[in-house]
């Protein structure tokens, strides 16, 4: 008899979860179709006028955190390139990871010719090290100017995971922006860091992301989410057990909400 209320409670919880999933899927279909078009209209007369540069810290950042942005921009007709500011050599796997990066980017629609890795001794892969702002800003600005970039995408001040190399990118782009060193018409979008609960509820975060204010919101279709997972699987040297769980549960494999600097 005592099990009765528990069973009813679990059943109610299950029904609530199903309702939330159903609502999240409907919103996902809506924003997956409308998001890129609405975003592109805000930046250029045509989506293919957008020349985007994704600035990351390590090989695998492009798939682990930014796949929704890259795939959505590509779907809208924008051209994208990647500037990865280290080879990810923390465990002496830098050369392997460079090749994995190219394979991942190819699946995300970015050819190897549009992928650049900055392998500089003063920009080592180190979770405890803040990179030099001036040095980093110099590399980034040179790449922006050489490729006529009008949209830069990178981490925000939280760096999603708090990794010092991630937050260094934000500091460098914030410096370039605040000092008005970026070319005229070049905008910077930063990827929103969310709390631990939201980070690992996958598509259940869709209603929350849609409700909260942001400057850009990219949500992948189911087919695109599978494409993002395949890109992440290219980083075989990094696929420890917890990264498989990450691919299943992280909202960053499906959703990117971004803010303008």
């Amino acid at each position: 008899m005592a099990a009765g209320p528990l069973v009813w409670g679990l059943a109610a919880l299950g029904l609530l979860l199903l309702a939330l999933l159903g609502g999240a899927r409907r919103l996902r279909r809506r924003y997956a179709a409308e998001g890129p078009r609405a975003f592109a209209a805000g930046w250029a007369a045509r989506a293919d006028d957008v020349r985007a540069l994704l600035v990351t810290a390590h090989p695998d950042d492009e798939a682990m955190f930014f796949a929704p942005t890259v795939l959505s921009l590509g779907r809208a007709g924008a051209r994208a390139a990647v500037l990865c500011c280290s080879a990810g050599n923390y465990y002496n796997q830098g050369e392997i990871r460079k090749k994995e990066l190219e394979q991942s980017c190819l699946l995300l629609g970015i050819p190897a010719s549009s992928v650049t890795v900055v392998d500089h001794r003063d920009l080592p892969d180190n979770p405890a090290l803040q990179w030099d702002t001036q040095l980093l800003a110099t590399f980034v600005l040179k790449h922006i100017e050489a490729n006529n970039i009008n949209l830069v995408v990178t981490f925000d001040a939280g760096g999603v995971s708090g990794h010092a190399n991630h937050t260094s990118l934000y500091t460098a782009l914030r410096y370039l922006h605040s000092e008005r060193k970026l070319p005229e018409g070049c905008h910077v979008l930063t990827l929103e860091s969310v709390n631990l609960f939201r980070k690992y509820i996958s598509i259940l975060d869709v209603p929350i992301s849609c409700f909260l204010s942001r400057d850009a919101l990219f949500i992948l279709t189911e087919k695109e989410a599978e494409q993002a997972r395949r890109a992440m699987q290219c980083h075989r040297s990094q696929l420890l057990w917890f990264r498989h769980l990450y691919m299943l549960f992280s909202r960053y494999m499906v959703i990117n909400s971004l803010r303008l600097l």
Side-chain angles (χ1 to χ4, degrees), residues 224-241:
E224 288 169 334
E226 176 57 31
Q227 188 177 350
R229 284 190 288 272
R230 291 200 307 270
M232 185 59 203
Q233 287 165 356
C234 290
H235 295 281
R236 289 177 289 277
S237 67
Q238 306 303 301
L239 289 182
L240 304 175
W241 66 269

Side-chain angles (χ1 to χ4, degrees), residues 27-50 68-78 151 214-221 224:
L27 279 172
R28 177 187 192 173
R29 286 192 293 270
R30 173 188 167 191
Y31 274 87
E34 296 179 0
R37 289 199 297 271
F39 168 78
W43 295 106
R46 301 181 328 189
D48 57 12
D49 287 333
V50 175
T69 297
V70 174
L71 289 172
S72 297
L73 287 175
R75 184 185 348 135
L151 175 65
R214 77 284 171 191
D215 293 304
L217 177 64
F218 299 125
I219 301 175
L220 297 183
T221 64
E224 288 169 334

